[in-house]
Amino acid sequence: MATVSAELKLWVYTGNFGSRAATPNYTITKRKIPTESKIIFEVGELIKDYIEIYFDGDYQAVRQTAWVEWEITKTLSDASTETITGSGIALNGYGYFEDGINPQLSNGLLQSNTIMYVKSGDNPYIPIFTGGNGVFEVKYYTGTTLISTQTFGNSVTLLTIDTTSITADTTVYDASMTEIRNQSNQNTISNTVASGSPDRVVITDVNGGETTVNIYYIEECKQTPYRVSFLNKFGVVQPMYFFKRRDEYVDVTNESYYINTINRTATTLNYSLNSPSKNIFNVEAGKRIKLNTGFVDQQFNEVIQQLLMTDQAWIEEGGVAYPIIPITKSLQYKTELNDKLINFTVEFEYAYSEINLIR
Amino acid sequence: MKKINVRSPFFLDVDAEESIANPTQPTQTVQVDCGDTYNTGIDVGNTIYEFSTQETGTVQINVTGNNVPVKFAVEWDGVEQINTGYIGLDSYDGELLSSGVQQAEINTSNPSTKNTTLTFNKTTSTPELVKVIATAPLINDDYSLVFNCPSPPVVVIDQTTQINIWFDNSGSMNSTLSPLQSMVAGNLKSCLVQFYNNDGAEYDKYVQIKQFAYERTFLVAAEPPLVQGATKCINIIFQDEANGVYHPNYFNDQIRTGSYDVDIVHLRNIFANNPTGYITPIIFQVQSTTEPGFKQLLQAVEDGEGRYSLGYGLEDYADRVKFYYDVESAVSYSSNPTYYRDKIIQGINDLGFSLTCP
């Protein structure tokens, strides 16, 4: 029986799965155009309006997903109706052209690099997906020694790897698993703590496929490393470090006008040498920084590409995550063959005016 | 769970979506192995777990989980062996009924019944494939499955068991031959003749010392039962070196010889295509101060080291082959008559037999 029209009800919400409002966020009705074979709804942009991205530097408090449920009532050619439903989890990610329609991307590691450079003493964060067919186990190694294993429930989560604590981790695992296994989109993005200072993390999906992430702890003695966090291709906040030289700039703009400062009285005619005849107004200032990664693996071509294409990024300075915007517009891919040691330089501007203009 | 990456378009195809009246979701098939634990998180739809076992006996699948009901059925030889109905917490009964499940199929309770053991008797070795079909019409919270297969049978000696005691007579351990011959005709016979109806002639027919000079350990390890009437064979090998045949002067676990490849693949094929006990190699590495490489080779094969793994080692057949190291050479039968016999009996017992010799 052919479908002649369809009504889509679309809910986008956060919290526990199923806790949707009675009224959908969108209700759309479409009729099949005679020249087309089927009815489709494109809902990506509609959903995007309701995904709140919140990051304050604390990976335990990051908000980056929303539940989506839809109900489609089809009217068939015999005037009967049929209702179909579906659901999913929405992320602020994107697929490349090569990824095809409705890109699902990775069901395990939610970052493209399997090598991480982390400032010595900091906790590495590894975003993984633990929904259906996602990750269920993560093993942490130091060298060849297995130091701990974690089993996960579902949804997307960020792992925190504690570089110092060793002994009290079992309790933390239990609490995290409980938290992850409820069906809240917010709670499932949580931090779990692993033990020791693992330099290798093996992520196993439910099909037994393994992904290994190697972690290098960098002790930078001369420069001050900065951690930049950005929404990557998979729609999750990913950290990366810039270990080397930092250049800072401030760009100021203003407008000006000339005034007549002449003093004219009955006895005098002059003008003050101390009063400006050119005045400025609308003074605005913005700061820019130029950061260098230090020497990294060539797989960071992809990471830098995603950084340049991000729509939200932050830099942590003095314990605060300030919003920044990558303003480097071009990336020449580098290879170890051609470039030997690979360093990336990326320029950012702060996503606010240096003069507080917020009213 | 669908992921919707909203910076790219996401299309809902009205005609491709499933009907609400039909709770059947696309079925996924998951391959697992005996002994595996499979954890499932938030999920919906049907999942078929497939595993294979040659062994006969009790197959056991342990189910643990939370509250949302799931139905588990076990299928073997084309016949449904077990069907749990929908097990879980009874507060979901209404949702089950709404999704089209019949009341008769609901076996929920409070507390949840989603903790159970599925057991059936696999009476023949073939077909090997066992299917566990999990049906989850509601969005499942989680469950874990542990797949336990029957244990392989222990090695059994009976009157159709041929026992070959292989002696490497390439020259380097000739002085060990005589004590072995004395043992086979002496105290080993006294111990094992009971399995041959206490008939000495039958023992002599089935238990023999065989000599080989070509040093291809795993070729003789794969020797099938050749004595008329024999149905299985234990190949006990005493050897001190395989220099040139299986390795160069110094063993390197990144190098395999052509002869080794041929022999190990042949032996593995026999293991794979026959039940446990058809061929049982027990390999004794005899001490040698001049040929340390042979011991290293055997250890690499046993542990699956370097290139002696992934189909070119025996680490996955630990229950069907035994290795013993640093066996002394030329231990006189007259001064220590039980030395070699006890080694052999220990090897047999380590394979699951319980044998005590006087």
Side-chain angles (χ1 to χ4, degrees):
Chain A
M1 203 68 67
T3 303
V4 295
S5 68
E7 181 189 69
L8 166 69
K9 290 180 180 175
L10 187 67
W11 288 264
V12 189
Y13 59 94
T14 55
N16 288 337
F17 183 80
S19 63
R20 70 188 194 193
T23 306
N25 300 75
Y26 297 96
T27 301
I28 301 170
T29 302
K30 289 179 88 171
R31 294 190 65 82
K32 188 165 78 68
I33 299 171
T35 54
E36 294 191 350
S37 58
K38 59 169 60 178
I39 297 173
I40 57 171
F41 294 94
E42 197 284 290
V43 296
E45 295 238 323
L46 303 179
I47 297 168
K48 188 171 188 290
D49 288 344
Y50 286 89
I51 299 182
E52 179 198 17
I53 307 296
Y54 175 81
F55 178 70
D56 62 3
D58 179 0
Y59 277 83
Q60 295 185 352
V62 63
R63 295 198 292 267
Q64 55 198 347
T65 62
W67 293 116
V68 179
E69 287 190 76
W70 56 87
E71 191 175 294
I72 299 173
T73 303
K74 298 192 288 186
T75 303
L76 306 179
S77 54
D78 64 355
S80 64
T81 61
E82 187 177 292
T83 300
I84 57 178
T85 62
S87 63
I89 188 162
L91 302 102
N92 202 41
Y94 55 88
Y96 289 146
F97 180 80
E98 297 86 344
D99 293 326
I101 198 166
N102 290 355
Q104 291 297 291
L105 307 181
S106 165
N107 273 341
L109 181 64
L110 293 184
Q111 64 182 28
S112 297
N113 51 310
T114 55
I115 292 176
M116 295 177 69
Y117 302 95
V118 176
K119 178 187 168 189
S120 181
D122 275 9
N123 296 331
Y125 294 86
I126 307 173
I128 60 171
F129 184 71
T130 55
N133 292 329
V135 170
F136 78 86
E137 184 180 78
V138 177
K139 291 183 174 177
Y140 303 89
Y141 293 87
T142 296
T144 57
T145 305
L146 175 66
I147 53 178
S148 66
T149 302
Q150 289 177 271
T151 304
F152 291 89
N154 321 286
S155 192
V156 181
T157 189
L158 283 159
L159 308 184
T160 308
I161 298 170
D162 185 347
T163 55
T164 54
S165 172
I166 295 175
T167 54
D169 295 323
T170 306
T171 305
V172 179
Y173 294 162
D174 291 342
S176 300
M177 288 172 64
T178 304
E179 188 176 35
I180 287 164
R181 282 181 176 166
N182 72 37
Q183 296 176 37
S184 164
N185 77 307
Q186 174 59 24
N187 289 343
T188 53
I189 304 171
S190 51
N191 293 300
T192 53
V193 184
S195 59
S197 301
D199 53 24
R200 188 162 58 94
V201 177
V202 178
I203 298 162
T204 307
D205 63 31
V206 293
N207 298 317
E210 290 188 349
T211 304
T212 300
V213 177
N214 293 300
I215 302 168
Y216 298 93
Y217 298 93
I218 306 295
E219 189 80 52
E220 173 56 48
C221 302
K222 186 177 177 184
Q223 306 283 350
T224 302
Y226 288 91
R227 183 168 69 181
V228 170
S229 303
F230 65 100
L231 272 184
N232 65 12
K233 172 187 179 183
F234 305 91
V236 298
V237 177
Q238 173 184 343
M240 76 166 291
Y241 283 82
F242 289 80
F243 288 97
K244 292 299 181 182
R245 175 173 166 169
R246 167 183 167 130
D247 295 306
E248 297 186 43
Y249 308 88
V250 61
D251 300 312
V252 179
T253 62
N254 57 43
E255 296 177 65
S256 63
Y257 61 93
Y258 286 92
I259 60 171
N260 189 347
T261 59
I262 197 161
N263 283 322
R264 187 167 35 192
T265 67
T267 58
T268 62
L269 178 63
N270 59 19
Y271 57 86
S272 169
L273 295 178
N274 308 113
S275 299
S277 62
K278 183 179 183 180
N279 285 305
I280 58 173
F281 68 105
N282 282 348
V283 178
E284 293 182 9
K287 286 174 68 177
R288 285 183 293 127
I289 51 173
K290 195 182 286 184
L291 300 176
N292 288 273
T293 58
F295 296 132
V296 294
D297 189 87
Q298 68 179 23
Q299 64 177 242
F300 272 69
N301 280 309
E302 173 63 24
V303 180
I304 297 295
Q305 174 173 314
Q306 292 177 23
L307 174 60
L308 300 190
M309 295 195 296
T310 191
D311 55 9
Q312 298 223 36
W314 301 263
I315 186 169
E316 287 171 54
E317 295 173 339
V320 179
Y322 293 103
I324 53 174
I325 300 168
I327 56 173
T328 299
K329 301 299 182 192
S330 171
L331 167 69
Q332 179 186 1
Y333 296 119
K334 298 183 178 181
T335 66
E336 287 161 1
L337 178 64
N338 295 336
D339 300 278
K340 307 297 186 276
L341 298 173
I342 297 173
N343 171 71
F344 291 100
T345 302
V346 182
E347 194 170 358
F348 303 89
E349 67 179 11
Y350 288 85
Y352 51 83
S353 170
E354 183 68 3
I355 301 173
N356 187 1
L357 299 175
I358 298 173
R359 293 182 167 85
Chain B
M1 182 187 298
K2 278 194 178 79
K3 284 196 295 177
I4 303 166
N5 290 291
V6 297
R7 284 182 65 188
S8 290
F10 190 86
F11 295 95
L12 297 178
D13 181 346
V14 167
D15 295 320
E17 296 293 324
E18 294 291 330
S19 166
I20 197 171
N22 181 2
T24 305
Q25 299 288 322
T27 299
Q28 64 164 334
T29 301
V30 177
Q31 304 296 329
V32 293
D33 292 318
C34 293
D36 279 1
T37 298
Y38 196 92
N39 301 311
T40 298
I42 290 177
D43 198 9
V44 66
N46 300 345
T47 305
I48 299 176
Y49 301 92
E50 292 185 345
F51 61 99
S52 297
T53 175
Q54 281 187 340
E55 311 304 341
T56 59
T58 302
V59 175
Q60 200 175 65
I61 299 106
N62 298 330
V63 180
T64 54
N66 283 350
N67 295 330
V68 179
V70 177
K71 179 175 75 175
F72 297 96
V74 180
E75 189 178 300
W76 173 68
D77 198 14
V79 176
E80 185 175 270
Q81 306 289 327
I82 307 162
N83 188 330
T84 63
Y86 288 89
I87 53 176
L89 188 66
D90 58 10
S91 62
Y92 291 90
D93 288 1
E95 290 182 53
L96 284 175
L97 294 168
S98 300
S99 63
V101 172
Q102 300 298 311
Q103 180 67 54
E105 283 195 290
I106 298 176
N107 291 324
T108 56
S109 183
N110 189 359
S112 169
T113 54
K114 210 164 73 177
N115 286 285
T116 186
T117 300
L118 317 177
T119 304
F120 78 95
N121 186 20
K122 183 170 176 287
T123 52
T124 58
S125 61
T126 58
E128 298 176 7
L129 182 66
V130 179
K131 293 181 181 180
V132 179
I133 301 152
T135 307
L138 308 181
I139 294 177
N140 175 51
D141 40 11
D142 65 51
Y143 62 80
S144 294
L145 301 177
V146 182
F147 303 90
N148 296 314
C149 297
S151 301
V154 297
V155 173
V156 174
I157 299 177
D158 58 26
Q159 60 195 87
T160 66
T161 304
Q162 179 179 338
I163 300 178
N164 298 321
I165 299 173
W166 293 91
F167 175 77
D168 169 16
N169 70 348
S170 60
S172 52
M173 48 177 274
N174 282 351
S175 54
T176 308
L177 177 60
S178 176
L180 287 178
Q181 289 171 323
S182 301
M183 172 203 64
V184 170
N187 56 12
L188 185 66
K189 183 173 184 175
S190 334
C191 187
L192 297 183
V193 71
Q194 57 183 305
F195 300 106
Y196 299 92
N197 283 335
N198 289 315
D199 183 338
E202 280 289 291
Y203 170 87
D204 293 341
K205 174 183 166 188
Y206 284 104
V207 183
Q208 299 175 355
I209 284 203
K210 294 190 173 185
Q211 301 184 43
F212 69 116
Y214 41 89
E215 297 177 336
R216 296 174 65 172
T217 320
F218 300 104
L219 180 62
V220 297
E223 177 94 347
L226 297 175
V227 173
Q228 188 173 11
T231 59
K232 49 189 172 294
C233 188
I234 300 175
N235 288 307
I236 300 167
I237 302 160
F238 287 85
Q239 188 175 347
D240 65 345
E241 56 103 358
N243 191 342
V245 178
Y246 279 170
H247 61 84
N249 277 344
Y250 294 97
F251 175 71
N252 181 336
D253 69 8
Q254 296 302 312
I255 299 171
R256 297 194 313 260
T257 66
S259 298
Y260 173 81
D261 281 0
V262 169
D263 295 347
I264 200 74
V265 168
H266 173 58
L267 177 60
R268 289 182 61 86
N269 283 340
I270 289 179
F271 280 156
N273 297 318
N274 292 281
T276 300
Y278 175 67
I279 292 290
T280 306
I282 302 173
I283 301 169
F284 292 99
Q285 178 261 325
V286 178
Q287 284 178 344
S288 169
T289 54
T290 57
E291 296 287 351
F294 183 61
K295 180 180 179 182
Q296 294 165 352
L297 166 83
L298 294 181
Q299 288 171 329
V301 174
E302 182 180 15
D303 298 335
E305 297 169 0
R307 295 187 66 215
Y308 290 80
S309 62
L310 301 174
Y312 288 96
L314 294 173
E315 78 278 13
D316 49 341
Y317 283 115
D319 58 332
R320 295 172 76 166
V321 58
K322 291 294 172 193
F323 294 84
Y324 298 90
Y325 300 100
D326 296 323
V327 173
E328 293 179 29
S329 64
V331 176
S332 161
Y333 185 72
S334 57
S335 62
N336 189 353
T338 61
Y339 180 76
Y340 292 114
R341 184 203 67 177
D342 288 349
K343 294 284 182 191
I344 290 173
I345 297 301
Q346 182 63 47
I348 293 171
N349 284 345
D350 286 349
L351 286 160
F353 203 74
S354 180
L355 187 62
T356 305
C357 291

